Amino acid sequence: MRWTQALLNTLRDAPQDAEIISHKLMIRAGMLRKLGGGLYTYMPLGIRALRKVEAIVREEMERAGAQETLFPILQPAELWKQSGRWETMGPGMFRLKDRKDAWYVLAPTAEEAFTALAKNEISSYRQLPCIIYQMQDKFRDEIRPRFGLIRGKEFLMKDAYSFDADEAGADVSYKKMYDAYVRIFKRVGLNVTPVEADTGDIGGNFSHEFMVFAASGEDGILSCDACGYAANQERAERIASPLPYTEIAGVAEEVATPDQHACEEVAKFSGTPVNQIVKSLVMLADKKPVMVLVPGDRELNPLKLRRLLNGAKIEEADEATVLQVAGPCGSIGPVGVTLSVYADLALKGVADVVVGANKEGYHLQHVALDRDATVIAYEDLVTVTEGDICPKCGKPLVIRRGTEVGQCFKLGTKYSEAFNATYLDETGAPRILTMGCYGIGVSRTLQAIVEQSNDENGIIWPAAVAPYQVALLILDPDNPEVVQKAEQLAEALESKGIDVFIDDRAERPGVKFKDADLIGFPVRVVAGAKGFAKGGFEVRRRTEKESTIVAPEVAAETVQSLLA
Ligand code: ATP
Ligand code: MG
């Protein structure tokens, strides 16, 4: 391709709304243009890079035995009603009507459609295992679309679904997809960390998220540098360090704490360490109020409570409910309540803590939890933070920000049951299919590569996904000898399967150098009269400062070896 024939404009400045480096660079390098909030057009260079990521994903899916399909994006509401997600998806799902007033969905994911297909197409154990996938746009009405391709309203996802005879089979499929993901991210040049993730209400199953560490990441990931444990903050566990307040200091007695509500306020007012104050929360578990206790400096992780209560839907109770079942908000505690009380493990054995007195303006001090209240269970219930103890090896955990580029999920029979997707086993008896689902944000992955691989001059594309692998800059486009040599090299490279972008513009060399660095071609070759006087092309990798002179006869081989 020649620049003079390409639809390509580089920009000196990034648009105002581009907050992170990859978004800025994708726009400045002429790869992306904005159509609307969360909606981006791929320019010719951008789509080439995306197609290369797609090709790698496809190759690895096929290698793992998955077969490609393509489902409609526009899906009838009935499908989503059958799984119950027409209700539970909420406003994040785009819904629309046709001219006959029938409701449709712009699919945000495709478990329903794939399961409905499997129900009809898979009838015998002989067809199992079966893994099918598609490469298809998804739509989500994100609360905060931002960062270009990282969080769009429309984005490209590869989604795969596995169907197996049983749990053991599903484990094998899961492993195949997990391994394929590791290979995919390695091949596209992206450093990812698989982390344990929450599985929501699908108890007993598990999930991994493939995370890219980035300061702009919206997920917190707790990891242990000693043993490699890594988990999403939603999911992370800890070894709870017991609190020191285990000596009985007397009977529980009321103390006046006028206008002091938050644990920090009570701590300050009473000169007590904040973790000696117990934070009491009334939560609704499937609409039924329960009380949860955590140390005053910690936050409840509702997902852990949900797991403890067998997948019950957890919500915060409103003020009126709290008043009815305990006391005025900010002054509640477990002493004397008739609610079921659950407490964080760190509180086990505490005998001298402060709790709300269920009376406005009062707390109770010297409370021994097991003496003065009835705690049903002590469990790890808080959100893990930096410095907490690794559940695997006992060393402190660190927290990093990250963005999810892919996820593997063992679904069990949640969808196959909803759709009654069964097969006949060896004895001819009907059995329910066991499923897994596996998503990669292909467009997000593309931009994540840029977020990870850039410098002050622009993008540094890994050769495997660069829009073109080589930039060939013709510094003297009016000099026929220079042009001829450049064209010969371009031909030689292309015959080796290497794609070349020729900058044949009548621009100053400095402009061409800057643009080549900004766009981030892995190898830059300069063809100019000056260089030829010194012996040939000037060749350098994007990551190197200095060029070397390479004789025209060996230039193609040299470039090829630089790309390898
Ligand atoms: P996130 O937590 O980042 O919102 P998710 O867990 O909701 O992602 P999944 O439903 O697991 O996403 O979708 C599979 C993949 O699709 C994700 O791993 C991610 O790479 C990608 N993805 C999800 N939402 C978006 C989006 N709005 N824009 C671009 N890619 C997305
Ligand atoms: Mg996910």
Side-chain angles (χ1 to χ4, degrees):
M1 188 46 149
R2 289 158 183 280
W3 194 314
T4 51
Q5 289 157 17
L7 181 61
L8 171 59
N9 292 300
T10 55
L11 306 176
R12 190 193 305 259
D13 299 308
Q16 281 286 308
D17 66 345
E19 297 169 66
I20 59 173
I21 187 68
S22 54
H23 186 189
K24 290 182 185 166
L25 288 175
M26 292 291 278
I27 303 274
R28 287 189 52 214
M31 309 232 171
L32 282 186
R33 290 293 180 255
K34 183 173 172 178
L35 183 75
L39 300 169
Y40 288 86
T41 304
Y42 294 91
M43 298 301 284
L45 287 189
I47 195 70
R48 279 183 73 93
L50 184 76
R51 294 288 183 245
K52 288 190 177 180
V53 177
E54 272 181 48
I56 290 172
V57 174
R58 279 202 175 85
E59 266 177 49
E60 293 299 339
M61 282 296 110
E62 303 285 332
R63 170 134 73 128
Q67 301 168 70
E68 186 164 5
T69 56
L70 188 63
F71 282 68
I73 296 170
L74 187 64
Q75 303 185 349
E78 283 63 41
L79 209 51
W80 291 79
K81 287 182 178 159
Q82 200 167 342
S83 69
R85 288 209 286 186
W86 176 258
E87 278 79 33
T88 56
M89 275 296 199
M93 187 156 77
F94 283 103
R95 299 156 205 249
L96 64 167
K97 276 184 185 174
D98 72 3
R99 65 176 77 210
K100 293 182 190 136
D101 258 3
W103 281 102
Y104 288 80
V105 159
L106 292 182
T109 167
E111 283 78 7
E112 283 78 359
F114 275 80
T115 313
L117 184 88
K119 175 190 166 62
N120 291 329
E121 302 296 328
I122 299 177
S123 50
S124 158
Y125 70 94
R126 288 192 201 86
Q127 293 169 278
L128 301 175
C130 175
I131 309 180
I132 42 183
Y133 76 98
Q134 68 172 343
M135 187 79 67
Q136 179 69 293
D137 272 1
K138 302 288 181 298
F139 292 80
R140 293 186 188 178
D141 196 355
E142 297 279 359
I143 296 170
R144 253 194 108 184
R146 57 179 184 156
F147 300 154
L149 301 179
I150 297 285
R151 189 169 295 285
K153 282 185 168 151
E154 176 176 356
F155 58 96
L156 183 62
M157 193 203 286
K158 183 285 301 172
D159 44 327
Y161 304 83
S162 63
F163 300 91
D164 277 279
D166 52 27
E167 215 34 56
D171 285 346
V172 175
S173 294
Y174 188 94
K175 174 88 172 45
K176 271 191 203 156
M177 287 293 113
Y178 182 101
D179 292 345
Y181 276 29
V182 172
R183 286 197 299 270
I184 287 167
F185 291 119
K186 188 156 185 239
R187 282 185 62 188
V188 301
L190 195 60
N191 240 326
V192 300
T193 305
V195 310
E196 290 178 20
D198 190 76
T199 51
D201 51 354
I202 308 160
N205 288 298
F206 64 90
S207 164
H208 286 93
E209 289 168 349
F210 288 75
M211 288 287 182
V212 177
F213 292 124
S216 59
E218 293 178 32
D219 290 317
I221 299 139
L222 284 134
S223 43
C224 175
D225 291 339
C227 75
Y229 171 78
N232 193 311
Q233 192 165 25
E234 286 179 351
R235 154 84 189 205
E237 295 171 12
R238 85 210 206 272
I239 297 174
S241 316
L243 290 167
Y245 317 112
T246 51
E247 299 277 313
I248 290 195
V251 296
E253 58 183 15
E254 272 185 11
V255 280
T257 47
D259 299 326
Q260 313 301 314
H261 296 123
C263 292
E264 296 75 27
E265 292 171 352
V266 178
K268 212 166 160 204
F269 180 84
S270 59
T272 313
V274 67
N275 66 359
Q276 197 171 3
I277 319 281
V278 172
K279 190 185 282 181
S280 308
L281 304 155
V282 176
M283 304 297 290
L284 301 177
D286 283 338
K287 309 270 182 225
K288 191 173 151 258
V290 298
M291 186 176 277
V292 186
L293 313 179
V294 299
D297 57 349
R298 304 299 306 236
E299 298 300 326
L300 168 70
N301 179 345
L303 295 169
K304 289 185 177 176
L305 182 63
R306 175 180 185 164
R307 224 171 298 145
L308 175 65
L309 300 180
N310 303 317
K313 182 169 181 216
I314 304 295
E315 296 162 287
E316 271 180 45
D318 59 51
E319 243 173 79
T321 309
V322 176
L323 185 64
Q324 193 194 342
V325 299
C329 274
S331 308
I332 63 169
V335 179
V337 296
T338 53
L339 295 168
S340 297
V341 178
Y342 302 91
D344 179 63
L345 258 183
L347 293 171
K348 194 161 189 173
V350 293
D352 181 17
V353 288
V354 176
V355 304
N358 294 322
K359 184 167 150 189
E360 179 57 42
Y362 287 90
H363 279 74
L364 295 174
Q365 62 180 8
H366 305 317
V367 169
L369 273 189
D370 288 330
R371 178 191 64 190
D372 303 323
T374 310
V375 176
I376 295 180
Y378 291 91
E379 289 286 344
D380 175 20
L381 287 177
V382 302
T383 301
V384 175
T385 56
E386 177 135 325
D388 275 335
I389 303 303
C390 173
K392 293 268 156 71
C393 78
K395 295 272 168 19
L397 294 166
V398 289
I399 191 162
R400 298 191 176 93
R401 308 306 304 168
T403 303
E404 179 193 318
V405 285
Q407 180 164 27
C408 291
F409 208 116
K410 279 178 67 182
L411 286 171
T413 56
K414 176 176 163 151
Y415 293 95
S416 40
E417 268 171 36
F419 285 85
N420 193 28
T422 57
Y423 69 97
L424 298 179
D425 70 10
E426 289 88 332
T427 67
R431 291 181 58 185
I432 203 89
L433 287 163
T434 303
M435 290 176 59
C437 68
Y438 317 90
I440 289 185
V442 180
S443 44
R444 180 183 282 186
T445 295
L446 178 70
Q447 202 184 301
I449 294 167
V450 176
E451 187 71 21
Q452 220 173 56
S453 187
N454 64 74
D455 66 11
E456 67 282 4
N457 297 320
I459 302 172
I460 304 174
W461 285 109
V465 296
Y468 290 86
Q469 292 156 303
V470 176
L472 178 50
L473 316 187
I474 304 183
L475 297 194
D476 309 289
D478 300 329
N479 179 331
E481 198 197 322
V482 169
V483 171
Q484 194 202 6
K485 283 198 175 119
E487 280 173 355
Q488 276 170 358
L489 176 60
E491 236 170 72
L493 288 171
E494 269 156 8
S495 72
K496 289 177 183 294
I498 296 168
D499 38 25
V500 184
F501 191 80
I502 302 175
D503 188 350
D504 58 345
R505 294 175 298 169
E507 285 284 359
R508 285 180 290 112
V511 172
K512 296 187 179 186
F513 294 150
K514 264 210 161 77
D515 278 337
D517 277 358
L518 173 62
I519 296 169
F521 304 99
V523 171
R524 186 186 86 185
V525 179
V526 175
K530 257 196 212 158
F532 286 132
K534 284 190 236 162
F537 295 100
E538 294 165 61
V539 178
R540 78 151 164 79
R541 284 201 185 96
R542 172 66 179 79
T543 48
E544 293 165 346
K545 284 249 167 328
E546 301 300 324
S547 297
T548 43
I549 299 282
V550 178
E553 309 78 63
V554 293
E557 284 73 35
T558 307
V559 169
Q560 188 174 34
S561 68
L562 288 179
L563 286 168

